[in-house]
Every structure is written in C-alpha cells, then in structure tokens.
C-alpha cells in the first residue's frame, strides 16, 4: 500500500484534532498535513520524503523510549507455540507450509521491523499465532537519504556525496533479525520485500535521487546498471542472513512495482533478472513479485486496473520460471472502482493462476468502509485463491496503538473477530 494515499484519511482526522495520530505521517517533501504529533509521540524524519510520529520525544531515542515506556513484560507474552522446520513451497494452486498443503490467511505489518523493543515484536507474533494467521508480510527495506540519529532504525542509506551504506548494526538489519527470530519461535512465516515503489521509507525515489535518474522516465530505475547493482547488493545482504532459515516464506522483489507508461517488457525483464539472481543465491526459498495484479485480461471490463498503463503484464510475469506464485492487491477506492467490483478482480486472478498452475495470494486488501470484506473473503474461498492477507494488522501497546490508516483492524476488537479470526479459521479448515 502507498501510505500517503491512506494517510489522507488519517490526516483528515488529524486536522480536526490538530495533532497527527500515532504512526501517522507528519512531514516530508510536499506534505501539507500537520507536523505536531499526539502526546507521547514526536515527529521523526525518516528521510526527505517521509516523517512519521513515533513514540518518545525528540530528545530521547526511540530505542530508549520504547524500552522504558512500559512495554508489556515478557511474562505477559504467550510462549512460543510452534517452530517452522521445513521450507514453504508451492504445491499446485496452494502452498505447503511446514509439511502441510493448506489454504491460509495472513496479514501485513510494514512497521514491525522498525520497532526497537523485542517485547513489542514478540507480542505481535504471539497474537498472530493465537489467531492462526500463518504469514506476515513485512518491509525488508528502510532506505534513508540522511542518516537518522542513533536509536532510529534504518537499513540502507543514500546520502549524496557518500557511498550507499547497508546498516547491519543494532539499529539496522539486526532489528529485522529479531523479527525473523520471533516469527520462527511463534510458528509464523514471513514475506520479506526489498524496495518500495513508493517513497515511504525511501523506496525507489531514494535510489532515483542518489543516482540522478529522470523523475519522469520511470523505466530508468529498472534498467540503470548502477541502481540494479546496489539493489542486488542489498538483496544479497538480506538473503545471506536468512537463507537457511525456513521462517522466511518468500522473498519479494518490491512493494507494488510499477512502471507507468513503460513497455511491459521493462518490468518483466527486471523480474526475470532479479528473481534468477535471488535463486542463484538461495535455491531454498520461494520468490514473488509483490505487484498489485494490474495488466490482466478482464474480458468485457477494460477499466484502469486491467490495462497495461502501469507497465505490468501479470500473466507473462507469473509464467517466469523463477517466480513461484502470483500476488494481487485490492483497493477499489484508489482505482476508481466500486467495492463490489473486487469480487471479479479476485476471480480473474485465481482463474489465470490456475491456468498457469501456480498459487496466487490476495496479498493486500482494504476498504475504508469495510462493507465488502466478508464478500471478498467468500470470493477468495470460492475461487480457490491460495491465501489472503489483509492490510493492515493493528495492535495495542502500553504506549498506544499502531498506525491507523483507516484500513487497520486491531487485534482483540469486535472487527478483528468478524474479519480476521473467523476467516483465518475458515481458510485453515478449507480442504485442499
Ligand atoms: C513536489 O511538488 C512539486 C510541484 O507539484 C513537484 O514538481 C515535485 O515533483 C514534488 N516532489 C515530490 C517528491 O513529490
Ligand atoms: C511508483 O509508481 C507510481 C505510479 O506509476 C509512480 O508515479 C511513482 O513515481 C513510482 N514511485 C517511484 C518512487 O518511482
Ligand atoms: C549526481 O550528480 C551530481 C551533480 O552533478 C554528481 O556530483 C554526482 O556524482 C552524481 N551521482 C552519481 C551517483 O552519479
């Protein structure tokens, strides 16, 4: 998901209260919303494009703040329930996880790798495990264009005049290490991606500005040798850390890669090259794309998402031998469609994946009204879609709630029971 789209929802709320809520955006290039955070949070500049309200005050680091702000004691966290002993793999149109072919429900947390408290990470995984959510998709990137102060998490820097640097320190990839460790202890697998199309947490824009690429010709990111060398270097660094760890469900090339106005061959060639590169480093894990599912034959429906305008040919990309399964996202509100339209989006991807003989995951879905969620979940089950992962998981800590972008569904609420617990159980019970 592109956070800035969603944040317009929470910033509308924030304008009324004049303060940005927890985890909301509070600054960045062209940001016109508020820059003051609610009590207990301060506006931290992640990079030139994105500042976010995080726990603490500007004079204390996030590390010490979250650690001392009364995070739940370890004793309140449920003990690990399972361990993952075998590598997940595609099995026809479903997945085999920990030795069992199954349908499943999962969810998304872009923020968990940026937490500085291990207890907070453990609490999330204990809740996911007890709900029966099998897979969590996390951001495996956090690109910055200025180095934040100590105690603030970043993974890779693109500072003009300096060589790009991958942060393997305590405020760097060691935070992702803890996510992998905790997930494994709780029997939850991870989809880990390597770059964002959007400028949240740096993304392609951070590379673009460092390497002086055109801001209008999007194909340059995908074809620049310098960009791809650094992107592959980052991939190699992350893959090396967990290549023998079955907690990783799949590597993912990017969050919502698009190449507006480009020939679809630009992205297809990049997928071929990058997925083959990952398989050359690590033949045990699956690889997926992370795209939204654009550019697929919609029959008589020729509306925007089905077209090739975003430079994606979904079927051609899924046929690539080093891609193990397909992904689709569903945000009708952002695409000029009705919520009811979402059912055909789910069915069309499931049918195309079936023809190709690979699974498909409805990897993100959300709607502000939540009115159609149960309808979409029924379509997931009826169509044989292998899994669905709602956007986005929410949880409550002693310092408050995680980012509410208008789509968040919080653990322990009545909504969570209706849209998450019940469907997770139904997916797990569905016969393969
Ligand atoms: C900020 O807005 C200006 C004017 O609309 C635009 O040219 C520029 O690309 C924007 N910058 C970013 C990072 O979105
Ligand atoms: C992501 O995709 C959109 C739509 O094609 C594009 O406008 C944007 O520039 C891309 N983001 C970056 C950082 O390249
Ligand atoms: C980008 O352009 C600036 C100014 O011309 C130059 O100093 C810098 O070396 C260029 N960066 C790269 C990575 O080529």
């Amino acid at each position: 998901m592109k956070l800035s789209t969603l944040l317009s929802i929470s910033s509308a709320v924030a304008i009324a209260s004049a303060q940005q809520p927890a985890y909301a955006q509070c600054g960045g290039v062209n940001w016109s919303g508020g820059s003051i955070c609610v009590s207990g949070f301060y506006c931290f500049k992640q990079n030139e494009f994105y500042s976010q309200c995080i726990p603490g005050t500007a004079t204390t680091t996030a590390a010490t703040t979250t650690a001392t702000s009364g995070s739940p004691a370890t004793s309140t966290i449920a003990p690990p329930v399972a361990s993952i002993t075998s590598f997940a793999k595609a099995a026809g149109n479903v997945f085999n996880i920990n030795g069992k072919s199954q349908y499943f429900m999962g969810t998304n947390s872009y923020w968990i790798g940026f937490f500085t408290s291990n207890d907070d990470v453990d609490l999330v995984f204990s809740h996911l495990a007890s709900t029966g959510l099998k897979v969590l998709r996390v951001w495996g990137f956090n690109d910055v264009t200025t180095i934040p102060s100590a105690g603030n998490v970043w993974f890779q820097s693109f500072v003009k005049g300096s060589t790009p640097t991958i942060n393997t320190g305590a405020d760097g990839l060691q935070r992702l290490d803890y996510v992998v460790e905790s997930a494994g202890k709780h029997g939850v697998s991870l989809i880990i991606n390597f770059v964002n199309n959007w400028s949240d947490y740096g993304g392609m824009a951070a590379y673009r500005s460092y390497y002086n690429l055109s801001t209008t010709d999007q194909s340059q990111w995908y074809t620049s040798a310098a960009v791809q060398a650094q992107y592959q270097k980052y991939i190699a660094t992350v893959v090396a850390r967990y290549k023998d760890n079955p907690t990783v469900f799949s590597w993912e090339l990017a969050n919502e890669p698009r190449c507006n106005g480009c020939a679809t061959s630009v992205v297809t060639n990049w997928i071929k090259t990058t997925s083959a590169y990952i398989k050359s480093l690590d033949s045990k894990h699956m690889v997926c794309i992370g795209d939204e599912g654009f550019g697929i034959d919609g029959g008589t429906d020729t509306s925007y998402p089905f077209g090739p305008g975003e430079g994606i040919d979904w079927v051609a990309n899924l046929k690539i031998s080093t891609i193990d399964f397909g992904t689709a996202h569903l945000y009708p509100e952002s695409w000029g469609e009705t919520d009811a339209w979402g059912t055909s989006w789910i069915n069309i991807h499931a049918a195309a994946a079936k023809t190709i003989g690979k699974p498909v995951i409805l990897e993100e879905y959300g709607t502000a009204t939540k009115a159609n969620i149960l309808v979409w979940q029924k379509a997931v089950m009826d169509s044989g879609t292998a899994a669905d992962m709602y956007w986005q998981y929410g949880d409550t800590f002693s310092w408050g709630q995680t980012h509410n972008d208008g789509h968040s569904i919080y653990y322990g609420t009545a909504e969570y029971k209706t849209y998450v617990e019940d469907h997770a159980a139904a997916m797990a019970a569905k016969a393969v």
Side-chain angles (χ1 to χ4, degrees), residues 196-199 204-205 208 218 258-260 310:
N196 204 355
N197 172 80
W198 311 103
S199 56
M204 293 178 186
R208 199 183 293 273
Q218 296 184 12
R258 296 177 172 196
C259 191
N260 189 266
E310 299 295 353

Side-chain angles (χ1 to χ4, degrees), residues 333 339 366-373 406-407 415 419:
E333 292 160 319
D339 278 358
T367 162
T369 63
K370 303 194 170 70
N372 257 66
I373 289 182
H407 292 170
E415 270 186 354
Y419 300 126

